[in-house]
Amino acid sequence: MNHKEKARELFLSGYNCAQAVFGAFCDVTGMEFSQAMRLCSSMGGGMGGLREVCGAVSGAFLAAGLILGDEGTDHQKKKQHYAMLQDMAGRFRERFGTLSCGELLRTVSHSSVPAARTAGYYKERPCVAFVEAMAEILDQILLEHRAC
């Protein structure tokens, strides 16, 4: 199973969008799955249901930081890392027009109560496409940077 398929499977199993993307890359990050799920639990719904940055993007950024990031003291490495993250974000934005969860979902307001994962939820929400796309984009970035 590739990362895109794994991310899709995780999302459809009830994990949030950030958990689905980050969790799909546990084979590359080396992070224990349960720890990865806790780390990303706050990022779903556009950061805790606030409908800010799409959780799929946040999950991919966290994975990219773990795989390709620096410790923050080397200015040149930080500059390169930020450029890579902006490239990732640009690829997502090119496909979907925005990074904003609220704009991506258009009609769904923010709430502190996560929506029940019903057939209607999956029919109404295009999130699985965002999760799959972000997993593909992260795979492309990792190949380009020879990190997997």
Side-chain angles (χ1 to χ4, degrees), residues 67-145:
I67 300 164
L68 297 168
D70 70 282
E71 294 183 20
T73 57
D74 184 320
H75 180 74
Q76 187 60 32
K77 286 182 182 177
K78 185 184 294 188
K79 180 179 168 183
Q80 292 169 344
H81 188 67
Y82 284 5
M84 179 200 62
L85 294 172
Q86 290 175 21
D87 180 26
M88 285 175 53
R91 294 178 194 199
F92 186 88
R93 187 180 287 118
E94 186 176 302
R95 285 174 81 169
F96 300 108
T98 185
L99 301 178
S100 166
C101 174
E103 291 175 18
L104 289 164
L105 298 181
R106 291 185 183 96
T107 60
V108 181
S109 63
H110 75 291
S111 172
S112 63
V113 180
R117 295 294 184 93
T118 63
Y121 172 95
Y122 292 112
K123 186 176 181 180
E124 174 187 329
R125 305 265 179 112
C127 300
V128 73
F130 308 141
V131 165
E132 290 175 329
M134 218 45 241
E136 285 180 330
I137 291 167
L138 182 53
D139 264 333
Q140 292 166 356
I141 292 291
L142 295 178
L143 286 172
E144 291 166 14
H145 292 269

